[in-house]
Structures are given as C-alpha cells and as structure tokens.
Amino acid sequence: MSQPNRLNQGGSIDRSKPLDFTFNGLRYSGYEGDTLASALLANGVDIVNRSFKYSRPRGIVASGAAEPNAIVQLGSTEAAQVPNVRATQQALYQGLSARSTNGWPNVNHDAMGLLGKLGGPMMGPGFYYKTFMAPASMWMTYEKFIRKAAGLGRAPQEKDPDIYDHYNHHCDLLIIGAGPAGLMAALTAARSGARVIICDEQETFGGSLLETADLLDGKPAQQWLANALVQLSDCGDVLMLPRTTANGYHDHNFVTLHERRTEHLADTAPEAHQSRSRMHHVRAGQVILATGSQERPVVYANNDVPGNLLCSAVSCYIRRYAVVPGQKLVVTTATDIGYQAALDWLDAGREVVAVVDCRANPDGDRVKQARQKGIRIITGSAVFEAKGSKRVTAARIAAVDLDAFTLTGQLEELACDTIASSGGFSPVVHLSAHTGARPVWNEEALGFVPGRVKGMIPAGGADAIYSLPAVLESGLQAAQQALQSCGYAAVSVDLPKASQRIESKSAALFQVPHLKPTSRAPKQFVDLQNDVTAAGIELATREGFESIEHVKRYTALGFGTDQGKLGNINGMAIAARILGQTIPETGTTVFRPNYTGITFGAIAGRHCGELFDPERYTALHAWHLKRGAKFEDVGQWKRPWYFPVGNETMHEAVARECQAVREKVGILDASTLGKIDIQGADAREFLGRVYTNKWAQLGLNKCRYGLMCKDDGMVMDDGVTTCLGDNHFLMTTTTGGAAAILDWLELWHQTEWPELEVYFNSVTDHWATMTITGPRARDLLSEVTDIDLSKDSFKFMECREGMVAGVPARVYRISFTGELTYEINVQANYAMHVWNALFEHESTYGLTPYGTETMHVLRAEKGFIIVGQDTDGSVTPEDLGMQWCVGYDKPFSWIGKRALSRPDTRRKDRKQLVGLLPTDPSVVLQEGAQIVFDPKQSIPMKMKGHVTSSYYSPTLGQGFALALVMGGAERMGEKVYMPMADGRVHEAEIVSPIFLDPKGERQNV
Amino acid sequence: MLHIYCPYCGEHREESEFRPKGQAHILRPKDPDNCSDEVWADYLFFRDNPRGLHHEMWLHATGCRKYFNVTRDTVSYEILETYKMGEQPKITAQSRAAGGEK
Amino acid sequence: MSNVAVFDQNAGAGVLAESPLSHVSGRKGGSSPGVILREKAFMGYLTLRGNAADAAFCEGVEQVLGMPLPTAPMALHQNTQKGSSILWISPDEWLILLPGGTEYETELALRAELSGHFAVVNVSGGLTLLTVTGPDARHLLHKSTGYDVHPRNFPVGKGVTTTFAKATAIIRRPSETTWELVVRRSFADYCYRWLVDASREFGLDAEI
C-alpha cells in the first residue's frame, strides 16, 4: 500500500518489516519503528479526530506526550478496548486497530460539526456551570447530545483478558528521562556503585539524541547514544526502563512509573503470564528530573485546522520516521528551532514557502544556514490566521507589534498545506508540581522551571537548559550532586564534546493579534484537547475570574488527560496580557498526576478478582465449603452464614438451625473471635482500667463478660475474659474488633501506663473455637472428653482444661445463645480432627451446624448486643441498660468512667436499647428503619430512634427487633411507628430487649 | 506515601506499615473524677490543626507494633524528626522560629 | 492460684493435624522453575516478651536456646544444630521457631530459667512457614512487598515484619539463597494464592 508522505530513505524505521493496521475501519500500512501517528501521517491521514466541544476536524500536532488531538480508541476486539491512547505514543504493531474517540457518524462527516458551529456562542466557556444552574430537567435534554459529542473514549464492555502488576523498588537515584541529560546522569551514577533506575516514556532511550543532527565527539550523536546504552546495560545495579512514564511524583520521593510491557506488541499480551503493563513503585533517595522541554505552539486564528504542527514535530517526523507531513510549508516562529524544521523539510525534497519570524534580526547559525539555502525569511512578522477547514490551504501573515499587540503593515497570503509554529520551549515541570511545589518563572528562558522539591534535582531542558553541551554538563552535575547526597564518593566522567551552536535570542510570542479583536476573530485555540480559545480566556477574565486557578476551572484549560502540556503557558500569558500583569504575577496552576493517562488495570495491578482483598479462613473452612455453607463477609473473614439443606431458602435454613439449637444441639465455628493472651503481674489491674466492670475478684478458671468504652464513655467492644492464672488472662474480642482492640490495649500501655507489667499477644489464629450449644450439648461433649461436665463441677462461666477427642483443649462454659454451651478451644491444626469427632455423633444428638444468621437470631432473642450493630459509637453502657456491667466504685478512674457524668451522657432523652414486637406478627421490621411516636404528624417527622437488629424468631413465632429509642427504658408498653418508603407504616410495641428466658435458666442447667 | 523512620526498628519504612493516631502529647487528666467538664471535654474533643509544624502520634502497625511520635510539616509533609514515646520533640514551632532549625 | 497457665497442647501421634495450607494443591513448574515454594508445616512457634536490657533475661534465653538473644532490630539468630531460630520482632518481643513438638518443653525450660517480668506464648497453631528459593525468588518479593529486599538492605541473618500483598508477613533471610515467609493461619490461603499468581511469569514449583 502506498504511503505518499514516506521518504525512500532515512529515519529509524525498519522498511523490511511492513505492518498492516486499520484506522476508523480503513486499512493502512506502516513499518516497524513507527508510531501510530507517524504511520497515519505517512499515509496522508489529515483528520484524526473531532474536537471535544466544537467538533472541529483535527489533525496531528505533536510527536509525543503533548499531543492533544490524536487521541484514539484502541483495540480490535471488545475486550481489548483501551480509550484515550495518544497515537503519538503508541507503537505500531501488526493488526493494530484504532478509532477516533470523537466524531459521529465519523470524523470526516460529523453531524455535531453543525452543532459545533452553532454552538460557538451556545457552548462558550462556563457552559457547563451556566447550564447546571438551569433547572435539572434542562440538563438532561442537553446531556444526551453532549455526551455523544464529547466523550473521550469508552470503557470495554467485556472482561479485560490482560493482567497487570506492580513492582516495588528502592534506589539511590531515579532518573526520569533518558535524553542527553538523563543519560549523562546515569553514566555518571552507574560508575559510583549506586542503585540507579532510569526510565523514559518513549519506545527507545535517547530523547532528542534520536533525531538530532548534532555531533558528539565528532560522530553522529546516535553513535554516542548506542555506546552509552551498552555501557549502562553492563552495570549490575542500573535498571533501564524504556516505554515507562513517570506518571506520579508523591511525597518523600515516592514515584510511580508506568511501564508498558506488551502494548507495543499486540492488543493483548502475547503470553498469558505476561503483564500488559506494570506499575513500578519507586522510593528514591534522589530524583533527577530530566524530562526535557516541550515546544509551545503559537496561538493564531484557526490554528487547529489539520496541517498546523509544532516545528519540533515536523523535524521529528522527518528525521526519525522519514515522514514529511505535507508538501508546502510555512513556518511561524519565535526561535531558531523554526529554521531547523524548514531545513529538514527542504532536505526531504519538499517546498518551504517561507519562514515567518517575529524577531527583527535573527542571526543564529541555523538562520544563516536557511538563508544560504535560499529559504525566504520574513522577519518581524507572524502567521495570524490559517485558511482551510479540513486541511490548511494558506497562511495569512503580517508584520506584528507584539508590545502593542497589533498587526502592522501589509498583509500577505501564502499558499501552503502545512504551518509549523514555534513559540519557544517550556520545561516539562509537571512532575515537580505533583507534591505541591509551584513552578518558578524564569524570565531569561521565558518559561517556568521546577520549584524546590526536597531530594529532586532538575537537569537539562527541564531546568530550561537547552544547548546540547550545557545539557550534558547539567546531567553530569546533577548526578554528582545526587550521589553526594546519598553518600557516594565523587566519580569523574568525561563529557562528550559537542559543538556550541550560535542561537539567536528567542522572543516572547504567545498569541498573535488578529485584524479583529480576539472575541470576534476566528477561533484562536489555546488548549486543543479541551477546546479552550483565547476568546474564552478573555471572556473568563471579563466575567471576573481573574485568579489563574479560576480561569482554569471556568474554561477547562489544562484539564483531564492533557494537563496543560501545550496550552498552559500560552493560556497564562494571554490571561496576564488581558489583566495587565506579568506572567509570574499571574502564576501557574498546579499539575496533578497522572502525567499521561493510565489504565485502571495498571493502578489495580494484581489486587483484583479473588486477590482484591485478603479472604481470611478458619481452620474449618474446607468443611464448611463441603457442607454447602453460604458465606458472609465479616471484616476480611469468610464466615458461614447458614448451611442450606437441599433446596432450602435462607429463611427455612435459619428456622431449622434455630430450632436445632433450642431443642437439640447446634455447632458454630467461632474461631474468628479475637483472642488476646495477657500475661504479667499487673494484668488484672490493667483489665480493671480498660473494662467498665470489676476484675479484682475473678477467680482461677472463671470467665467474665466485659464491656469496653472509649474515654468518651461510648461502648467500643465487648467479650468474655477468663482468668487462667493470677498473672494470666485470655481476652476475647468481637471478630471485627480484634486488631483494633490489641492496638487499643497497646496504646494505653505504651502511652499512659508503661509502668504496668503486662504483655499482650494475639492468639486469634492459634486457637480454633468450636461452640456447641443446646440442651444436648453436655451429652454430646461427654462422648469425646474426659472433663467432668457435671452441673456442679463445671459451672456456667467457668473454664476447664482436658482432652477432647484426644486433643488437649480448653473448654469454656459461656453462652451467646442462652442455651447450655461449651466453647471448645484447641490448637488450630487439630480443629478439623475435633470437629469431625463431634460429627461422628451427628445423628445421635441431631447435631446441626449453624452460621452467623442463626447466631444473630439466637442472641437477639436473648437481648445480647452486637457492638457495631446495636451500637454505633454514640451509645453508653447505660443506654444499653447494662448498668450491671459498670463498676462505678472501682478505685481507678477506668476508661470511659469520667465521661459518663458529663451532662450529655446524663440526658434522660438519650436513645436507649429496647425490644420491639410488631403488632402484625408476620412483619420483620427493616434494620435501620426510623422510629416515630406519632405517625400522623406532618413531614418532616420527628425521628425518635431506629431499629438496630431485626429478625424472624422461629421460637417466638413472629418478627422481633432491638431498637434504640429516645427515653425508651421509660416507655415500656407504648406503641411506636416505622413509616416506610413505600407508604406503609409499621406499628410495634416497646418491650424488654430480652425476649426469651429472662432469668437465664436454660443456660444454667 | 510518606517514608517514615521508626525509632524502634531504626530504619525508614513505607507509610502503608503505619497508622496515624492523631495529635501527640495529649495528656489524660491525672484525676479524672475531680476535673471539670471543661477540662475533660478539652482532653476528649479538642485538637490542634496547625499549618506548619505538628507533633503527631503514629503506630508501626504491621511492624513492631510500637507507638511513637513524629514532627511533621503539614504544608510540605516533610518529617523533621521521629522520637520514642515518652520523649520530647527537639524541633518545635518555637525552636523553628528562633532559627534552631533550617 | 498459679501465676500462669501452661499446658501441652500437642495431641498424640494418632491425631491428624492439618496445616493452614493443607487444603491447597501444589504446582508443577516445568524443568527450570524461577520460583520454588515449599511449606515447612507444623513448626513450633513461641512468642517471647521481656526486657532486653536485663542481662539475666538475655542470659537465660541464651542458656535455653543455645544462641544469643538478638537485641539489634531485625536480627535473626539461628541454631542450626537444634533447627531453631529466634528473630527480633520489637524491642521487647521475639519469635522463636522450633522443631514441631518441642514448644512445650521449651516454654517450660524458659519459664524455669527466667524470672521477673516476661511472657512466653505458644502460637504454633496460628502460623506457618513457606520457603521461597529459585533464581526469581527476589523478583517475587519485589512484586509482593514494599520493603526493600535488595541484598544491600536485606543481608542474610535479617528478618522483618512488614506488609505482604494486602496482608502482613514476616520475611526472613536465613541463607544466601533462601527466603522464608512466616504467615498467619487465616491469611495463609490468600498469601499462597498471591504467590502462585505473582510467580506465573517466572514458573512456579510448589509442593505444599
């Protein structure tokens, strides 16, 4: 297939490896070494997209990360779709399939273009804000059209077949950018023995050296480059990462590098085990910011018509890819770089119409070279308007007076198909601003340079150093400074010899004045990706948005994936001119991660699917699975929720499980409860300080329920603690609270009472806990133990050691169901053995495994609270009616005590725990339902409480609930109401929260 | 992601190993039962929120499980020192103002 | 009342014990796996707490274990003869690894030798150990933990408690070629799944 703009020789593409690809459904071909952008230009594709807001045709402008227009949707299958890929950064591969992200029905014939033209005034800056202020219904009408017109790409509708991962590094030096400065720094650092990482966002290392015509040590710079790369790859502790973008710079020199590992090869990774991209998490001792500089386009009318490019992009496409993106070139420039583009164009055998230079007397080496070659040079002038709609047809030029911001003298129209512009260079400072440092204006260089970031050293173009010899030297110096900071001895490295070129001084050219005022001239684009114009910035300032941060938000300047790469400085300069300020007075906005867009896959890495979050299993998990348990997430634990038999519904299964416990015996895997071993002479004293109740008299092998408050008097945890020895206790906590309670105990020990002799150690994972509960629990256990289980020998709230099924065990006789209960604890490796031994007697005793749902019903019938469900951090022990568990007269002012005498905790109308019985016994109230006293009052009703736990009780034969109700303890027997969203109002009676066996006789048999 | 020096482990660790625990040097009133509601409320609820130097408590949660203190600049996020529980900071807003620190 | 309850939690040989990874299956890694994973199940683990500034405490521990108590942060001491080791966890905490079944006698010996304020806790049911070897072992760790496992920062004889994927683990380096992971029982399945996944690109040989 023909590539009309491809030269027959030159460039670093491999002509022996042709590659086929499609763009918007049409087939093209390019070569290995191409980017998608260079291949599209080679094929003469002018329009690559429609613009975001105005739907104008757009072509390729740049050659790297700054490209604002050539943003494509990649992927030949649905699953492989990737949005927002810059064609300038996407390596070409066989079979690549790309589409424009905007344009409906297609980029060449865009229906929205009409709206765009009409929408010029209709969708001015601030459009979204102004529209949002209209009634919401109006927005819905606009939205359908705007979404269709505006969306920058779309997410795949199918599961991504690729994998992504993360990799952690620590290094002495991280060098971002492998152009001349970065490479020189790396060569220097490599010889010191330091751990070095050097990355570059391009396919290959080299930066500007890849396309420069300059010589190093008397040879083409590309030779020096090749040699340098060999040297670096021979160093053991130097990690070289091409195709890797430093996308975020975080606190304390933590930098994330996004490495594209297979994106240059195919849609999806060729091998299943290959990660498509990898996020490197780098903690660097020192960072050398060698990100180079970005050429600024000149702002003139219709500067967005396809065929308007950056001068550096023109040179890059010709020299690296052997692609000339047009036939007849006009250059408009404020620097000598414009002349380089013209010289390269001429060398490629195409016509240079003129170089239009805004400076009066440019006299640099390249200017002289151009003059010698007979290129027409028009000084003191600029292109003020491009002609054409789908491709440039001519450039209108005139002499300019930049200080007065007017055109002077004769107008001239130059027929051409390409306009290359250069307004100067801006250091790529984005990363330096990610942690909040503001870039600093450098008047000499007419650009912002990085602000001070601790541990970061800018070098080369990133520090507004542009001549090759100076760039190389700055790289070397940066490395030596960084090495010194990391404690490495200085190394001496020879700089390659580069010739110093004479450059004429650049002018400050941002926006070219037009014949008409900015507001009435054809659109002069500042930010091409977000369709922000000079007129828009002017309007923003006129409407009072004078801070540059406000201008940004009002106009969308530098938003989104663009992050102001081409437009920000021009935008600030224009705002400054309009406001009559200098650029440093106007200031700059802050750049944020990511430097260029990355996929969610790269962010998630392997933390997805079944590895999204740890799943914690008990030692009996495999049994639960085999038994067909449905699981519930409790924190990170997977706990059996219920064990359906056959086709049972959850309701049926829970009813059966409840009945089994109340009538026979059930078994629960309670291993997830937090367990803390407490040893030390002051263990008992410590317990007295952190629990609300008393521990001084608890005897050996006795268990006691304890309630824990924060110092604000609010309940934070509960559990049973057992005295195993005078200096030895075992505390249990809630499943969810285990880690936090251990931290809590350590907090008080380490910060308030370090003098107390006590150690806390988690034994949660060490012990497996099996709860057998129900009238036949004793009979069951007696089958497998040598412990004397008789009523008087092993009493309620006691603990015994003994053998259970041949395994040494601690058995606690405590109860969370109200039934006779034994909690069997064994070293977790033996849990399955003991569990199976119990199940050998399954049919004899009707042993029934039950899950958390049944556990909840059973405990709620007894009025036992669940901290975190019946409490929410605003509930005191007294609110729960648990005064019996509060030792007001303990000698030490325990945690939470003082707060219980604050006026707020003494209020009579505090929410208090009560039971609720719905008038209609078939009703199960909604947990969280709001409670009112008068259902007929007008809305908004006065809410007096809420339902905290609610279930159907097979034992009671009806629904029941626990609730927190204002002054509830004094309202026994009163009716309350729960108005529901569907209009129904449930009625219930306030009753005691203990629904079953209030005297506790069933557990005490 | 902060890089925090644990004074007990004697080396820098990633922030993900730590939990922030709020302002440091909060003293629980010695005799809670006999202090005023105001004093108790101040201890419970009121915390500094300075722009600049802040002394805060951190827990090395997935490391040595020790609490320690950090002097951190809330503007630059720079950590100026970390010190063990029971020790006093060397760098304070006063010492900084007096030029005791760069 | 006795001060502290100590009892032998080991069942007899007739009782089937299950390690935290007993339910998972191994992986065959081909002829040259990059990562080789093995579980050392049923080791004995004791948490030791005490005052490292107390010379008698240090001497007592050394007496019983036959190796000095590590007092430098992250130091790992090994008694290869006994197959035991002790790792610094915090200024007043150590993790002792023992051949399985010897934890009770070791706890008794420590309690007999030590005096004053200290604690010994049997945590053998709550932990398991995985050895990671092979040419890509360190790459695997780089993918799994934010701790700096470069040999310059992580020489032989060091062990750290740190984050591992989204869980916590102790990473130990007992020899030039071997890394060890000590993981909690409840997180063992997650950690193993993570290791299998993270090793895919290297080739994994796992016998569990």
Side-chain angles (χ1 to χ4, degrees):
Chain A
M1 210 168 283
S2 75
Q3 298 177 32
N5 287 336
R6 183 81 70 182
L7 299 172
N8 290 328
Q9 54 190 7
S12 46
I13 46 161
D14 187 344
R15 287 182 177 77
S16 71
K17 291 181 180 156
L19 301 170
D20 299 318
F21 69 101
T22 66
F23 180 67
N24 286 335
L26 297 176
R27 291 174 60 88
Y28 300 99
S29 65
Y31 295 113
E32 190 165 301
D34 262 326
T35 62
L36 175 57
S38 67
L40 285 169
L41 288 172
N43 284 278
V45 176
D46 290 336
I47 303 173
V48 295
N49 229 332
R50 286 279 172 165
S51 79
F52 172 66
K53 198 159 80 178
Y54 301 123
S55 212
R56 289 163 68 109
R58 291 283 167 81
I60 292 163
V61 168
S63 56
E67 173 58 38
N69 292 335
I71 293 174
V72 301
Q73 179 86 19
L74 208 62
S76 57
T77 63
E78 182 56 37
Q81 292 298 308
V82 183
N84 300 336
V85 174
R86 281 168 174 74
T88 48
Q89 294 189 296
Q90 176 60 52
L92 197 66
Y93 54 81
Q94 178 61 32
L96 181 149
S97 170
R99 294 197 159 271
S100 305
T101 48
N102 293 336
W104 171 63
N106 65 55
V107 288
N108 291 308
H109 304 281
D110 189 309
M112 286 293 138
L114 190 65
L115 177 67
K117 278 168 193 157
L118 293 172
M122 203 174 106
M123 291 176 64
F127 168 80
Y128 296 100
Y129 298 106
K130 287 168 183 169
T131 308
F132 268 124
M133 290 176 72
S137 59
M138 281 299 288
W139 171 247
M140 300 302 285
T141 314
Y142 289 130
E143 195 194 12
K144 273 181 215 157
F145 292 97
I146 293 164
R147 286 259 176 261
K148 199 154 200 171
L152 286 169
R154 64 181 185 85
Q157 303 292 305
E158 291 174 9
K159 190 175 172 0
D160 186 346
D162 275 316
I163 60 169
Y164 304 81
D165 65 9
H166 295 166
Y167 199 102
N168 301 289
H169 300 271
H170 294 74
C171 67
D172 297 308
L173 255 72
L174 169 64
I175 301 165
I176 304 171
L183 286 171
M184 200 60 229
L187 286 169
T188 307
R191 288 172 205 180
S192 69
R195 291 155 70 179
V196 178
I197 297 173
I198 177 167
C199 68
D200 194 283
E201 64 181 352
Q202 298 202 49
E203 295 291 312
T204 47
F205 278 11
S208 63
L209 297 180
L210 289 168
E211 64 223 27
T212 185
D214 291 350
L215 302 179
L216 284 175
D217 288 336
K219 294 176 202 150
Q222 289 77 19
Q223 269 185 37
W224 181 87
L225 168 63
N227 194 14
L229 297 184
V230 170
Q231 280 186 47
L232 286 177
S233 57
D234 287 345
C235 293
D237 259 330
V238 178
L239 177 66
M240 299 159 75
L241 295 170
R243 287 182 209 98
T244 302
T245 305
N247 64 302
Y249 194 135
H250 306 273
D251 294 307
H252 301 178
N253 273 0
F254 184 78
V255 184
T256 48
L257 312 179
H258 178 234
E259 180 191 11
R260 301 176 297 281
R261 289 161 67 81
T262 70
E263 287 165 49
H264 59 298
L265 300 173
D267 266 4
T268 56
E271 308 266 357
H273 62 75
Q274 278 180 305
S275 53
R276 182 169 186 271
S277 67
R278 172 172 281 174
M279 192 75 93
H280 298 267
H281 295 171
V282 181
R283 180 71 71 179
Q286 297 280 310
V287 172
I288 293 179
L289 194 71
T291 45
S293 58
Q294 174 59 52
E295 190 176 32
R296 285 191 301 274
V298 177
V299 177
Y300 47 88
N302 293 332
N303 58 340
D304 67 324
V305 174
N308 284 287
L309 285 90
L310 291 167
C311 287
S312 56
V314 165
S315 289
C316 174
Y317 285 117
I318 295 171
R319 301 188 67 91
R320 277 180 69 183
Y321 304 103
V323 171
V324 197
Q327 299 294 335
K328 297 171 74 173
L329 175 73
V330 169
V331 169
T332 183
T333 188
T335 73
D336 286 5
I337 288 296
Y339 293 84
Q340 184 66 50
L343 289 164
D344 290 334
W345 193 275
L346 199 64
D347 283 350
R350 305 267 168 108
E351 182 188 346
V352 177
V353 179
V355 175
V356 188
D357 193 328
C358 70
R359 300 169 296 181
N361 295 302
D363 57 355
D365 287 346
R366 282 186 276 212
V367 181
K368 287 175 185 155
Q369 219 179 326
R371 214 167 260 142
Q372 277 163 15
K373 297 217 174 188
I375 293 174
R376 182 183 172 199
I377 296 169
I378 307 165
T379 56
S381 302
V383 171
F384 69 89
E385 183 178 335
K387 302 289 280 183
S389 61
K390 291 184 178 175
R391 176 81 198 201
V392 169
T393 55
R396 301 181 74 193
I397 68 164
V400 287
D401 180 341
L402 291 176
D403 292 332
F405 197 66
T406 55
L407 297 179
T408 59
Q410 280 290 312
L411 308 183
E412 189 178 348
E413 190 163 311
L414 303 173
C416 64
D417 64 0
T418 307
I419 303 171
S421 75
S422 179
F425 284 81
S426 303
V428 177
V429 299
H430 294 67
L431 290 170
S432 74
H434 282 180
T435 56
R438 296 265 168 179
V440 180
W441 181 253
N442 180 326
E443 186 62 41
E444 178 67 20
L446 295 173
F448 282 98
V449 294
R452 182 188 166 272
V453 176
K454 197 180 176 194
M456 184 203 77
I457 307 167
D463 202 24
I465 296 166
Y466 298 131
S467 84
L468 185 54
V471 165
L472 290 162
E473 193 179 348
S474 84
L476 184 145
Q477 283 175 353
Q480 283 180 332
Q481 189 187 333
L483 288 170
Q484 200 180 8
S485 304
C486 297
Y488 287 89
V491 283
S492 68
V493 181
D494 291 333
L495 278 170
K497 286 188 180 56
S499 54
Q500 184 79 48
R501 185 190 286 116
I502 296 169
E503 301 265 351
S504 16
K505 188 174 170 10
S506 301
L509 177 62
F510 303 105
Q511 181 193 357
V512 181
H514 195 270
L515 298 168
K516 296 177 184 170
T518 301
S519 60
R520 296 179 51 208
K523 287 193 167 57
Q524 301 165 308
F525 283 92
V526 177
D527 177 338
L528 291 158
Q529 192 186 92
N530 295 296
D531 262 356
V532 178
T533 62
I537 292 170
E538 199 176 270
L539 178 67
T541 56
R542 203 165 61 229
E543 294 195 1
F545 295 88
E546 296 186 352
S547 152
I548 194 66
E549 292 284 7
H550 289 155
V551 170
K552 168 181 171 173
R553 279 154 188 81
Y554 192 73
T555 60
L557 174 69
F559 267 31
T561 69
D562 188 68
Q563 286 295 303
K565 292 184 187 71
L566 291 186
N568 254 32
I569 304 299
N570 282 335
M572 287 157 206
I574 290 166
R577 178 179 57 73
I578 295 165
L579 294 167
Q581 301 170 343
T582 64
I583 293 176
E585 278 166 358
T586 307
T588 167
T589 55
V590 171
F591 304 104
R592 296 199 166 76
N594 293 306
Y595 176 66
T596 46
I598 57 173
T599 61
F600 281 112
I603 295 169
R606 300 307 296 139
H607 299 286
C608 59
E610 61 168 14
L611 293 169
F612 173 66
D613 202 38
E615 287 180 2
R616 299 179 69 183
Y617 296 159
T618 73
L620 300 162
H621 189 76
W623 191 93
H624 303 324
L625 277 176
K626 222 167 116 187
R627 188 77 172 207
K630 301 290 179 201
F631 289 90
E632 180 182 30
D633 290 338
V634 182
Q636 291 174 322
W637 289 98
K638 289 281 174 195
R639 295 196 71 179
W641 192 13
Y642 58 98
F643 291 85
V645 173
N647 295 323
E648 269 182 347
T649 63
M650 174 170 163
H651 180 79
E652 290 161 351
V654 170
R656 177 180 48 73
E657 290 172 13
C658 286
Q659 196 179 9
V661 172
R662 294 283 180 232
E663 293 172 9
K664 296 172 187 161
V665 58
I667 185 163
L668 175 81
D669 180 359
S671 306
T672 62
L673 283 182
K675 295 174 277 285
I676 300 170
D677 180 279
I678 304 175
Q679 295 181 30
D682 295 317
R684 193 183 288 275
E685 169 66 22
F686 197 93
L687 289 174
R689 296 185 185 188
V690 294
Y691 273 130
T692 59
N693 48 336
K694 296 181 182 177
W695 298 84
Q697 301 301 322
L698 187 69
L700 181 66
N701 289 332
K702 301 280 186 198
C703 313
R704 181 166 289 169
Y705 174 82
L707 206 52
M708 248 183 237
C709 286
K710 292 197 170 177
D711 228 351
D712 60 6
M714 303 303 155
V715 171
M716 71 176 292
D717 206 75
D718 68 347
V720 170
T721 291
T722 302
C723 176
L724 298 172
D726 204 25
N727 297 346
H728 193 185
F729 293 80
L730 186 87
M731 174 186 283
T732 62
T733 73
T734 57
T735 294
I741 295 303
L742 184 59
D743 288 351
W744 176 253
L745 301 178
E746 289 288 355
L747 172 70
W748 286 88
H749 185 221
Q750 290 179 30
T751 67
E752 283 289 331
W753 311 313
E755 71 281 3
L756 295 186
E757 292 195 337
V758 61
Y759 288 120
F760 310 98
N761 291 288
S762 171
V763 287
T764 302
D765 285 54
H766 173 69
W767 295 104
T769 305
M770 295 158 270
T771 302
I772 54 173
T773 180
R776 307 218 59 190
R778 180 179 284 126
D779 299 337
L780 171 65
L781 184 55
S782 66
E783 296 271 7
V784 292
T785 188
D786 60 357
I787 299 171
D788 178 359
L789 299 178
S790 63
K791 181 175 185 290
D792 298 325
S793 151
F794 186 177
K795 297 195 182 85
F796 183 53
M797 298 307 275
E798 288 187 351
C799 162
R800 291 288 180 275
E801 279 170 17
M803 300 299 277
V804 176
V807 175
R810 276 202 185 112
V811 180
Y812 302 85
R813 202 185 145 187
I814 55 182
S815 180
F816 197 43
T817 62
E819 302 295 331
L820 172 66
T821 305
Y822 299 94
E823 289 196 352
I824 305 161
N825 284 257
V826 294
Q827 206 250 44
N829 292 340
Y830 303 124
M832 193 69 90
H833 169 85
V834 174
W835 186 274
N836 283 330
L838 290 165
F839 268 89
E840 281 176 24
H841 305 280
E842 179 176 4
S843 54
T844 313
Y845 298 101
L847 178 63
T848 303
Y850 69 93
T852 50
E853 189 63 22
T854 293
M855 176 189 85
H856 276 256
V857 176
L858 298 173
R859 64 89 199 174
E861 287 172 347
K862 287 290 298 174
F864 295 146
I865 58 156
I866 298 248
V867 173
Q869 173 160 347
D870 300 300
T871 71
D872 59 6
S874 71
V875 179
T876 68
E878 294 177 27
D879 295 339
L880 296 169
M882 293 173 76
Q883 291 85 334
W884 55 267
C885 197
V886 180
Y888 294 102
D889 56 348
K890 287 196 284 183
F892 191 88
S893 188
W894 41 272
I895 300 170
K897 181 189 178 193
R898 173 62 182 83
L900 295 179
S901 58
R902 293 179 59 239
D904 186 63
T905 51
R906 302 253 50 85
R907 276 190 295 115
K908 287 277 178 251
D909 62 345
R910 290 182 64 82
K911 285 187 182 179
Q912 291 159 340
L913 187 79
V914 296
L916 292 183
L917 278 179
T919 308
D920 176 349
S922 72
V923 163
V924 177
L925 298 172
Q926 220 173 61
E927 288 177 353
Q930 292 295 318
I931 293 168
V932 301
F933 292 156
D934 172 13
K936 299 208 168 67
Q937 62 185 303
S938 60
I939 293 170
M941 296 188 181
K942 288 191 168 55
M943 292 178 282
K944 297 293 187 181
H946 63 277
V947 176
T948 60
S949 294
S950 177
Y951 313 94
Y952 178 80
S953 164
T955 309
L956 302 173
Q958 76 158 102
F960 73 107
L962 299 175
L964 288 166
V965 177
M966 285 184 186
E970 304 287 312
R971 292 177 173 271
M972 289 297 147
E974 291 183 18
K975 291 276 194 286
V976 293
Y977 302 89
M978 275 101 347
M980 306 308 295
D982 62 7
R984 284 181 303 161
V985 178
H986 294 307
E987 184 187 79
E989 182 185 336
I990 297 182
V991 297
S992 155
I994 306 171
F995 295 87
L996 193 77
D997 185 24
K999 288 189 181 150
E1001 286 159 348
R1002 296 177 66 90
Q1003 66 199 10
N1004 222 351
V1005 292
Chain B
M1 272 268 282
L2 304 180
H3 206 208
I4 302 172
Y5 184 86
C6 172
Y8 295 99
C9 292
E11 59 180 30
H12 281 87
R13 298 287 186 93
E14 298 299 321
E15 183 181 337
S16 52
E17 293 193 12
F18 300 89
R19 302 281 175 274
K21 293 288 176 178
Q23 186 179 342
H25 306 297
I26 301 286
L27 294 176
R28 190 180 199 243
K30 282 283 169 244
D31 185 2
D33 293 350
N34 293 307
C35 79
S36 68
D37 283 342
E38 285 69 28
V39 167
W40 193 253
D42 191 53
Y43 154 69
L44 281 183
F45 303 123
F46 290 85
R47 297 293 181 266
D48 296 336
N49 185 22
R51 186 177 195 279
L53 275 198
H54 191 39
H55 305 288
E56 39 192 48
M57 187 161 67
W58 286 72
L59 167 66
H60 195 179
T62 64
C64 66
R65 297 202 293 125
K66 295 294 180 207
Y67 289 80
F68 61 96
N69 297 318
V70 170
T71 303
R72 189 174 66 92
D73 189 315
T74 60
V75 178
S76 68
Y77 284 24
E78 188 177 349
I79 290 175
L80 298 149
E81 61 177 339
T82 62
Y83 50 102
K84 292 177 182 176
M85 205 44 64
E87 295 177 353
Q88 291 301 311
K90 292 192 178 70
I91 301 166
T92 61
Q94 290 80 0
S95 78
R96 211 186 204 190
E101 183 262 331
K102 64 195 176 315
Chain C
M1 161 180 339
S2 73
N3 279 341
V4 174
V6 183
F7 84 122
D8 187 352
Q9 295 166 30
N10 277 298
V15 172
L16 179 75
E18 291 192 344
S19 92
L21 287 173
S22 59
H23 62 289
V24 307
S25 47
R27 296 286 190 287
K28 281 273 168 269
S31 54
S32 57
V35 174
I36 299 159
L37 207 59
R38 296 288 182 268
E39 185 190 13
K40 270 195 200 170
F42 309 124
M43 299 271 293
Y45 299 84
L46 295 177
T47 292
L48 174 69
R49 306 292 299 266
N51 180 4
D54 173 2
F57 174 75
C58 297
E59 282 163 23
V61 174
E62 184 168 353
Q63 188 71 30
V64 173
L65 299 177
M67 56 187 151
L69 183 76
T71 50
M74 280 88 68
L76 169 68
H77 290 173
Q78 303 177 82
N79 183 331
T80 43
Q81 216 168 13
K82 286 192 175 177
S84 59
S85 64
I86 180 164
L87 175 68
W88 184 98
I89 299 289
S90 106
D92 60 1
E93 181 175 345
W94 296 264
L95 183 66
I96 303 169
L97 266 71
L98 302 160
T102 64
E103 58 271 20
Y104 178 60
E105 63 189 56
T106 308
E107 179 174 355
L108 288 181
L110 284 167
R111 290 194 179 280
E113 193 67 36
L114 304 177
S115 58
H117 179 43
F118 70 94
V120 184
V121 187
N122 182 355
V123 290
S124 308
L127 298 169
T128 194
L129 185 144
L130 291 157
T131 61
V132 186
T133 55
D136 292 311
R138 186 154 71 84
H139 288 297
L140 173 65
L141 293 177
H142 274 288
K143 290 175 73 171
S144 310
T145 178
Y147 188 78
D148 183 4
V149 292
H150 190 281
R152 216 174 286 180
N153 186 63
F154 210 135
V156 172
K158 189 172 183 175
V160 299
T161 314
T162 185
T163 49
F164 186 87
K166 283 186 184 169
T168 304
I170 294 171
I171 305 174
R172 310 181 349 144
R173 192 155 183 230
S175 75
E176 216 34 71
T177 53
T178 308
W179 298 86
E180 290 175 341
L181 302 174
V182 179
V183 297
R184 288 173 67 178
R185 164 178 278 281
S186 55
F187 288 99
D189 182 272
Y190 165 79
C191 289
Y192 180 67
R193 268 192 271 166
W194 175 274
L195 289 164
V196 168
D197 184 82
S199 300
R200 260 172 79 186
E201 65 178 300
F202 310 120
L204 170 68
D205 184 285
E207 269 176 35
I208 299 292

